[in-house]
Each structure stands twice: as C-alpha cells, then as structure tokens.
Amino acid sequence: MADKTQLARQFIEAIPHSRALGMELTEIGEGRAVIVMPYDKKLIGDPDTGVIHGGAVSALMDTCCGAAVMSHPSAPSSTATIDLRIDYMRGATPGQTITTTATCHHVTRNVAFVRAVATDEQSETPVATASGAFTVELKS
C-alpha cells in the first residue's frame, strides 16, 4: 500500500494544473484523500465578491477523487474520470483555504465510485459535494 500511496502523491504533485492552483495533498491512503487549496487572488471568479471560481473548486474535487481511487487497496495505480457530478451549495468564503475530502466507497472490475465534500474554514456548511465514477482496470 505504501507504494500505491507514494505513486498517487507523486502523480498529483506532478500535474501542472494542480501546482498552478496551489493544491497540496495532505492525507492519502486506504481509499481516502484530502487535498487543500489555499485562497489565491488569481483564482477569483467574481471580482466584486472575491469568491474563488467554481472551475478551481471543480478541479480540486476531481483531483481529490482521483487520488482516493488511486489509494484504494483494490484499485489501479492510475485512473481517469468517467463521470463527476458536483453540487455547489455556496461560494467559498474569500480569504479561506478550501479543503476537499474524498472517499472511494466501492470498486468493481471496471469502475470505482467516489464521494467528496469541499469545505472552507466554516466547515459546518459545505461549499460543494461530489459523486463520481472513475476508471479501474483490476489485475486478474
């Protein structure tokens, strides 16, 4: 499992988009991942409010879900998004870090299923939630 976890960490840290958005993988293992994205003015989607663009939140959630799949004990060392549904509940509070936690809750021969939640520092109300399906190719 340590090899899988290290591989997932290296993969996420090597993605140029993840680096550009300032993502940092803080926890990974056993089908669970946590990635944080600090507030950055270059990510603002609405200059009047200072709220981070939904596309940045979407990229964060997608990356975190993929990391959760990669770290699952029965999943492959790489994956791709098949489907990702994101429900935005509110804009993230300007100036606050956004944290996404994803859990890979079921893996079949071909598909891994993941749930995620993104919060800011006011974590009692999510910024967004997600559910997705990711590719899997299990070895026989």
Side-chain angles (χ1 to χ4, degrees):
M1 180 50 119
D3 291 339
K4 239 186 220 192
T5 299
Q6 183 61 23
L7 184 63
R9 181 179 299 279
Q10 289 171 343
F11 177 74
I12 282 125
E13 292 173 353
I15 300 171
H17 195 181
S18 297
R19 285 197 319 268
L21 294 175
M23 292 183 202
E24 180 186 343
L25 181 66
T26 59
E27 294 178 40
I28 190 164
E30 298 296 318
R32 184 176 181 276
V34 179
I35 300 178
V36 298
M37 184 173 68
Y39 185 83
D40 189 325
K41 290 182 180 179
K42 70 182 178 188
L43 303 178
I44 292 173
D46 183 349
D48 293 336
T49 64
V51 171
I52 296 296
H53 191 280
V57 175
S58 174
L60 173 64
M61 296 189 84
D62 187 28
T63 302
C64 194
C65 286
V69 171
M70 290 175 67
S71 74
H72 192 277
S74 40
S77 57
S78 66
T79 188
T81 308
I82 297 170
D83 179 57
L84 185 64
R85 176 192 167 95
I86 299 176
D87 293 310
Y88 294 92
M89 280 123 189
R90 64 179 178 87
T93 305
Q96 294 187 1
T97 294
I98 301 171
T99 301
T100 294
T101 303
T103 304
C104 179
H105 60 89
H106 184 67
V107 178
T108 69
R109 282 188 314 181
N110 300 310
V111 181
F113 298 91
V114 186
R115 292 185 191 111
V117 62
T119 60
D120 57 19
E121 294 164 30
Q122 298 170 324
S123 61
E124 62 276 355
T125 305
V127 169
T129 60
S131 61
F134 289 73
T135 60
V136 173
E137 186 177 321
L138 297 178
K139 294 179 181 171
S140 302

